[in-house]
Amino acid sequence: MLDIKRIRENKDEVNELLKRKGDYDITYLLDLDTKRRNMITEVEEKKAEQNRVSKLIPAYKKEKKDVKEILSEMKILSEEIKILDDELRQIDDEVKRLLLETPNTPNPDVAVGKDENDNVELRKWGVPRDFEFEIKPHWDLGTDLNILDFERAAKITGARFSMFIGKGAKLERAIINFMLSVHTEEDKYIEVSTPFMVNRDSMTGTGQLPKFEDDAFKMLDKDLFLIPTAEVPVTNYYRDEILDEDQLPISYTAYSPCFRKEAGSAGRDTRGLIRNHQFDKVELVKFAHPDKSNEEHDKLTSDAEKILQVLGLPYRVIELCTGDMTFSSAKTYDIEVWMPSYGRYVEISSCSNFEDYQARRANIRFRDKETQKTRYVHTLNGSGLAVGRTFAAIIENYQQVDGSVLIPEALVPFMGGLSVISK
RNA sequence: GGAAGCGUAUCGAAGUGGUCAUAACGGGACUGACUCGAAAUCAGUUGAACCCUCACGGGUUCCGUGGGUUCGAAUCCCACCGCUUCCGCCA
C-alpha cells in the first residue's frame, strides 16, 4: 500500500500518478485521514490524563486518602475514551480499507497509456521460423502425439484444465527441472518449495486481496486460498520481519502450480494450454535494497529471458504502459514468446518491481546499517517461466512436417537423452 | 480426533492487578578502550508504529488475535489462531 504520509504531503503528485493507472481519487481518503488525526489527538489527551491519575491512585490509597470521588470521575473518563476509541476504530478500518484498495503508483518513467496498445516494445530476440508446411496448434499436436489430453481433463475436472501424458508429462517435468537448474546453478537463486494454499494475510500482503477475491479459488471450510502464483507464499516468507541490510538482495526461485479463476476472460484462449485454471510456473522473487531495485529488476528480467534463449524460442520484451500494469506494480516488463498458432507473440513472463508497495502491506523491512533505522525493502518478481506456455511454445516452434516434435538441445539431458517426440 | 503445556520487542527469557514495560537477566548488533591488526576482555549504546510540534520536545499504542471484568490488565474471564509434547490415525 501507499504511505499515507506521502499521499498527505504530495497530494497532487500522487493523484496525478494514480490517474495514469486508472480512475482513482484520493480526496475522500485524505478527508478521512484529517478526521482520523483530529480524533487521535483528542482521545490521546484523555488517555494521558487517565494514565496520569491512575499512577497517583496507589499512592493516595497508601496515605489512606479517600479516592471515591476520583474513581467515579475516572469511570466517566474511561467511558468517554471507550466511545471515542470505537469511533476511531471505525475510521481507522475505513482508511485502511481505502489504502488497501488504492493501487501502487507507477514509476514516473513508465510510458503513460490506457491499455496493451500503448505498451512499448523494448527488444526482440530470435527470428520466428518459416514453416514450409501447414502448422498445427499445440492442442492438436499434443493430442495427436498422445502427450496432451484435454477431453479427459474436462471429464475429470472441467474446462480449462489439461492432462500431460507419457512423454508429455516427462517434458513438463523436464522444463521445470531445467528452469530450476539454470536459476539455482547459474543465477544463484535459492530454491524453495512452498505451501500451495495460503491464508488471507498472505493474499493481502502481495495485493491479491481485498480487491480481487473473485479471481482466487477459496476453500469452503477454511479461510485459505489456492495460490494464484508462488509470488504469494514466497514474498510473504518474510512478512512482519526485519532483515539485515547485509542479507539483501535475497533471491528465491520456486516451482508451483498456480490456480486462477480467470474471471472475465470467458471465450478467450479457450483451447490448449494458454489460459487454464491450473498451470505450472517457476517463479523468481527478490527482496532488494530500495536503492538497487531497478538494477535487480533488469537482472531478473534477463534471467527469465535467458531460459528462452537457451531453448531457442524467439521472443520480445515489452514495457507495460501505466494503464496495462497490474494493481501492485510500479514497473513491469512482459516477455512474450513467439506462438506460431497465434501468429504473434504471447505473454510467457511478467517481471515487476513493486518497490515498497508489497513490503508496506506485508510489513517487510530491513535495518539500515548507517542510521540503524528500519526501512521497507523493495520486492520484485517474475515468471521464470510459465511452464504450460513454454510447453506449448516448444512443441509448436519445434514441430516437424510429420507431426513429430524435436526436443531443444538444452532439454535433452532432462529428457533422459530423448531428442524427438513422435508417434 | 483425545490430553497437557506454551505464545513477551532482533533472539533466548523473567515477570501472575497499580507507582520495575525502553520490558529484569543473558545472547546478538553497534560504539569506544586495549592491540600493528584481530580474537578475548572491559565500558557504553541498542524495540516498533502512530499523534502533536518549523524545531526543541511532548504524548499514545503494542506482551499471539479479538472481546470482557476493573478507576487501572502481560497478569483475571471468554472465544479464536498458532506452536510443542504424548496418545490415536495416516503418507
Side-chain angles (χ1 to χ4, degrees):
Chain A
M1 76 195 139
L2 299 178
D3 181 5
I4 185 72
K5 278 189 209 152
R6 177 185 163 215
I7 301 177
R8 205 183 286 152
E9 285 157 22
N10 310 279
K11 188 174 132 206
D12 295 336
E13 187 204 329
V14 171
N15 223 1
E16 201 274 318
L17 286 170
L18 285 175
K19 293 242 186 290
R20 293 184 189 182
K21 263 201 167 176
D23 185 21
Y24 295 98
D25 195 280
I26 53 172
T27 316
Y28 177 55
L29 172 63
L30 279 176
D31 285 349
L32 261 190
D33 174 58
T34 307
K35 197 170 165 195
R36 173 178 168 270
R37 283 186 296 150
N38 289 337
M39 284 199 72
I40 287 173
T41 307
E42 190 186 350
V43 73
E44 282 187 353
E45 274 169 15
K46 287 188 191 289
K47 283 181 180 172
E49 170 72 3
Q50 185 182 45
N51 288 341
R52 195 182 62 79
V53 176
S54 279
K55 276 182 191 164
L56 297 174
I57 289 175
Y60 288 161
K61 278 190 171 171
K62 224 177 197 171
E63 295 166 26
K64 299 250 173 357
K65 272 193 192 171
D66 183 15
V67 292
K68 244 193 191 122
E69 202 173 313
I70 296 175
L71 290 191
S72 67
E73 278 170 17
M74 284 298 99
K75 190 163 178 77
I76 293 167
L77 183 62
S78 163
E79 272 156 18
E80 286 174 359
I81 288 171
K82 196 173 270 180
I83 290 165
L84 284 173
D85 261 342
D86 280 350
E87 274 178 59
L88 182 58
R89 174 182 299 243
Q90 283 179 29
I91 293 175
D92 257 339
D93 288 350
E94 180 72 353
V95 168
K96 191 87 195 282
R97 186 184 66 79
L98 288 169
L99 276 175
L100 287 174
E101 293 189 355
T102 303
N104 197 3
T105 50
N107 182 311
D109 298 338
V110 170
V112 180
K114 212 171 119 238
D115 52 34
E116 67 267 20
N117 297 312
D118 299 319
N119 293 340
V120 182
E121 183 178 294
L122 297 180
R123 56 185 171 273
K124 266 184 178 162
W125 185 92
V127 183
R129 182 179 153 198
D130 256 336
F131 290 92
E132 291 119 38
F133 55 91
E134 191 160 339
I135 56 156
K136 288 187 192 174
H138 67 271
W139 50 91
D140 287 340
L141 265 172
T143 307
D144 293 348
L145 286 169
N146 198 27
I147 58 173
L148 291 174
D149 191 334
F150 297 101
E151 265 184 45
R152 290 195 179 93
K155 173 177 72 181
I156 297 164
T157 306
R160 291 201 192 282
F161 284 87
S162 33
M163 266 189 92
F164 296 76
I165 314 295
K167 304 274 179 358
K170 189 164 191 172
L171 177 58
E172 188 195 32
R173 184 156 51 90
I175 291 169
I176 295 164
N177 281 334
F178 162 68
M179 289 177 183
L180 288 172
S181 293
V182 172
H183 294 316
T184 54
E185 287 157 27
E186 294 180 20
D187 307 326
K188 305 302 172 205
Y189 288 78
I190 298 161
E191 181 176 348
V192 289
S193 176
T194 74
F196 300 149
M197 290 185 226
V198 293
N199 59 30
R200 186 167 285 274
D201 285 344
S202 294
M203 289 287 273
T204 305
T206 30
Q208 282 75 18
L209 295 185
K211 243 196 140 183
F212 307 105
E213 186 154 353
D214 289 347
D215 294 334
F217 285 103
K218 197 188 156 199
M219 298 297 118
L220 266 178
D221 54 357
K222 273 251 176 193
D223 201 21
L224 295 177
F225 300 82
L226 288 176
I227 57 170
T229 159
E231 160 194 352
V232 179
V234 178
T235 306
N236 279 280
Y237 187 60
Y238 288 121
R239 173 150 50 83
D240 292 322
E241 293 194 30
I242 300 171
L243 306 169
D244 288 335
E245 186 173 351
D246 295 339
Q247 289 178 267
L248 303 177
I250 303 172
S251 306
Y252 288 120
T253 183
Y255 153 77
S256 86
C258 304
F259 303 91
R260 298 182 183 182
K261 276 201 178 155
E262 296 295 346
S265 55
R268 278 173 63 198
D269 310 309
T270 47
R271 306 200 69 185
L273 297 169
I274 302 303
R275 194 173 297 278
N276 279 183
H277 289 308
Q278 177 188 326
F279 63 94
D280 282 349
K281 185 153 61 68
V282 170
E283 184 75 356
L284 306 171
V285 175
K286 287 192 188 213
F287 302 85
H289 191 285
D291 302 341
K292 301 267 175 63
S293 69
N294 284 327
E295 289 168 42
E296 295 297 335
H297 188 200
D298 289 344
K299 250 168 117 183
L300 186 145
T301 308
S302 68
D303 292 338
E305 281 176 65
K306 181 161 71 181
I307 299 293
L308 289 171
Q309 291 174 10
V310 177
L311 292 176
L313 294 170
Y315 68 86
R316 62 172 192 163
V317 179
I318 58 175
E319 180 183 302
L320 297 192
C321 73
T322 53
D324 202 28
M325 268 195 291
T326 55
F327 185 78
S328 304
S329 178
K331 186 174 188 176
T332 299
Y333 301 127
D334 270 10
I335 304 174
E336 299 181 331
V337 70
W338 180 256
M339 199 67 73
S341 64
Y342 278 56
R344 63 173 168 87
Y345 291 94
V346 171
E347 180 190 335
I348 199 167
S349 171
S350 193
C351 303
S352 300
N353 185 354
F354 302 92
E355 298 182 349
D356 65 1
Y357 186 83
Q358 291 182 326
R360 208 175 278 282
R361 285 175 163 250
N363 195 27
I364 306 169
R365 293 166 293 171
F366 71 97
R367 195 171 296 281
D368 187 299
K369 270 201 131 173
E370 203 162 315
T371 64
Q372 287 294 308
K373 288 278 164 204
T374 55
R375 292 177 70 184
Y376 288 102
V377 301
H378 280 192
T379 60
L380 305 99
N381 69 58
S383 349
L385 310 159
V387 174
R389 290 185 182 185
T390 304
F391 186 107
I394 288 172
I395 67 172
E396 287 197 7
N397 281 284
Y398 282 91
Q399 63 180 294
Q400 304 188 91
V401 65
D402 64 355
S404 66
V405 167
L406 292 176
I407 303 297
E409 213 177 306
L411 286 180
V412 172
F414 293 89
M415 288 294 285
L418 189 76
S419 59
V420 61
I421 297 177
S422 52
K423 270 203 191 167

